[in-house]
Amino acid sequence: MSKFLEVNNLSISFPTEDGVVKAVDNMSFSLEKGKTLGIVGESGSGKSVTSLAILGLHKGSTAEVSGQILIDGQDINAMAENQVRSLRGKLMSMIFQDALAALHPYYTVGNQIAEAYLVHNKVSKSEAKKRAIEMLDRVGIPEPQKRVDDYPHQFSGGMRQRAMIAMALSCNPSLLIADEPTTALDVTVQAQIIDLLRDLQKEFNTAIILITHDLGVVSETADDILLMYAGKAIEYGTVRDVLQKPQHPYGWGLLTSIPRLTGDPEKSLAAIPGTPPSLISVPSGCAFHPRCSYVKQVGTACSSSIPDLLPVSAGAHHLVRCHLDTAAREEIFRSQVAPNL
C-alpha cells in the first residue's frame, strides 16, 4: 500500500537568546491511510513540534524547518503559507491537547464546528449548522440539536474533547493528528475517546498520528510506534515489536516503570535515572547516554558519536538507534528486561 504521509529528514530548530533549540533532529517516518502511528516520548522530546510542522503551523514563525513532509504527494515544507492553509482542515486536521484552550470561549461549539466546514465547502450557514449537529451526534454528544448552541464552558472535559474531534473531522480529512487526546480525562472517558477514534477511522479510512506518553493507549490503538528522545527517533516499529521486544534502553526503562496488576505491591517501581536533557545543549553522542545503565558495555562511542537508526536484523521493519550490538541487546532483554514485563 502506498504511503499517504512521508516525513523525510525533518529537522526543526528555534533560535532563542540562550541558544538554538534543536526540537526535532533528522526525523523520518511514514503512514498509510487507515493506519495509526503512535509517537511516544517524554515532555519536551519533540512530539508536538513534529505534529505542528506536518500541519504547516511553523510557517511565519521563527522556527527553522528543513526536510520533506509529503502528504498525498504534496510537500508541505515547499508550499506557501496560504497554500497550506487551504489544505488544513480538509486534507489534514488536528485534535489539540487542551480542548478548553483550543475552543474559543466567546463562540458556541456549533459555530466553531460550522466555521471549519464553511471554510472548505460552498454551503449556507444553515447547512453548516446542520453539519455541526450531525458531527456532534456522530461523536456521541447527547441532544446535539440543543448542545450545538452551548458554549465550551458548558461542556464537560470529555464532551469538549468530543467536540474537538467533531470539528477536526467535519471535512472528512485524510490525516488526523491527535495530540494527547485523553490527557486529564478519567479512565472511562479515555476508553470512550479511543473507541470513538477507532470507529471513525474505520468509517473514513483516516490515517491517524496519536501523540502521547501513555503506552497503554498506544498498545490499544496504534499499528506502529515511533519512540522519541531529545528530538530524535530512537526506536521505530510495529506495536508488537516495540512493546513485546523493545531494543533501546530507554524503551526498556519506560516499559519496566509501568505498574503491573500482578506485581508485588511491596516492590518499588523501577525508574529511569536522571532527567531529559535541555534541547539547547543536547549531550554529545547518544543523547540518552547520561541516563543509560549500559554505557560501560560500549565504551566511549556512546558519548562521542550519534548511533544510526538501523534495523535490528537484516530486512526488519523494527529500527533502533543504539550502540549496543544485537547480541548484547538480546542478552540484556532476556535476562534483565523480560522478567520485569
Side-chain angles (χ1 to χ4, degrees):
M1 189 178 281
S2 61
K3 309 296 184 184
F4 179 73
L5 168 69
E6 289 187 80
V7 176
N8 300 313
N9 306 316
L10 177 65
S11 293
I12 307 167
S13 59
F14 299 89
T16 69
E17 292 181 359
D18 298 321
V20 176
V21 177
K22 296 179 180 177
V24 177
D25 189 3
N26 202 30
M27 283 269 291
S28 296
F29 58 88
S30 61
L31 182 60
E32 299 171 3
K33 275 194 172 184
K35 298 292 185 181
T36 300
L37 171 68
I39 301 182
V40 180
E42 291 173 282
S43 296
S45 60
K47 307 185 302 296
S48 295
V49 174
T50 300
S51 68
L52 295 177
I54 293 170
L55 289 174
L57 289 172
H58 294 307
K59 292 182 182 293
S61 73
T62 60
E64 297 173 1
V65 183
S66 63
Q68 267 191 333
I69 301 172
L70 298 173
I71 300 181
D72 201 20
Q74 303 175 76
D75 189 353
I76 299 299
N77 271 356
M79 290 182 180
E81 190 175 352
N82 63 329
Q83 290 178 296
V84 179
R85 192 182 299 117
S86 68
L87 299 177
R88 201 181 298 134
K90 191 171 186 180
L91 184 66
M92 68 273 198
S93 194
M94 185 166 181
I95 303 167
F96 291 93
Q97 183 172 348
D98 186 349
L100 184 58
L103 292 167
H104 200 295
Y106 292 169
Y107 295 93
T108 65
V109 170
N111 273 340
Q112 295 181 64
I113 297 172
E115 182 185 17
Y117 191 66
L118 280 166
V119 166
H120 296 289
N121 298 275
K122 294 180 179 180
V123 296
S124 65
K125 288 186 178 180
S126 61
E127 287 176 299
K129 184 174 182 179
K130 185 179 177 182
R131 175 65 172 175
I133 293 169
E134 177 191 333
M135 291 307 300
L136 287 175
D137 182 51
R138 186 166 288 178
V139 298
I141 298 293
E143 299 184 288
Q145 295 87 350
K146 294 181 180 179
R147 303 311 300 263
V148 72
D149 294 320
D150 284 349
Y151 290 87
H153 72 270
Q154 295 174 282
F155 278 38
S156 68
M159 289 172 69
R160 281 194 294 266
Q161 199 66 287
R162 288 171 183 269
M164 282 290 299
I165 294 171
M167 188 187 304
L169 293 175
S170 63
C171 297
N172 298 341
S174 298
L175 172 66
L176 178 66
I177 301 173
D179 189 358
E180 303 276 9
T182 59
T183 297
L185 302 177
D186 64 57
V187 176
T188 304
V189 178
Q190 282 187 24
Q192 292 171 352
I193 296 296
I194 292 303
D195 287 343
L196 174 62
L197 287 174
R198 192 183 290 124
D199 291 343
L200 292 170
Q201 182 179 46
K202 288 179 182 176
E203 184 176 349
F204 296 114
N205 197 34
T206 311
I208 295 179
I209 295 177
L210 179 65
I211 297 171
T212 184
H213 57 264
D214 190 331
L215 289 171
V217 169
V218 169
S219 67
E220 292 180 19
T221 313
D223 298 290
D224 291 340
I225 297 180
L226 177 67
L227 192 59
M228 289 189 71
Y229 187 82
K232 281 186 174 291
I234 58 171
E235 191 161 0
Y236 181 34
T238 65
V239 167
R240 179 182 294 274
D241 285 342
V242 176
L243 294 187
Q244 292 190 1
K245 202 171 182 182
Q247 294 290 307
H248 196 282
Y250 181 60
W252 298 337
L254 288 180
L255 286 168
T256 55
S257 65
I258 298 173
R260 309 285 164 181
L261 289 174
T262 56
D264 182 357
E266 303 298 323
K267 187 178 179 182
S268 298
L269 283 174
I272 301 173
T275 56
S278 164
L279 295 180
I280 293 177
S281 55
V282 178
S284 59
C286 173
F288 186 64
H289 87 263
R291 305 174 69 187
C292 185
S293 304
Y294 307 100
V295 171
K296 291 181 181 177
Q297 295 192 29
V298 176
T300 58
C302 287
S303 58
S304 62
S305 64
I306 299 172
D308 294 325
L309 188 66
L310 299 172
V312 298
S313 59
H317 175 61
H318 191 179
L319 310 177
V320 65
R321 189 186 299 277
C322 185
H323 282 302
L324 284 167
D325 61 41
T326 303
R329 289 198 304 269
E330 291 283 346
E331 173 57 26
I332 292 167
F333 179 81
R334 184 190 63 79
S335 61
Q336 300 178 36
V337 181
N340 295 312
L341 294 181

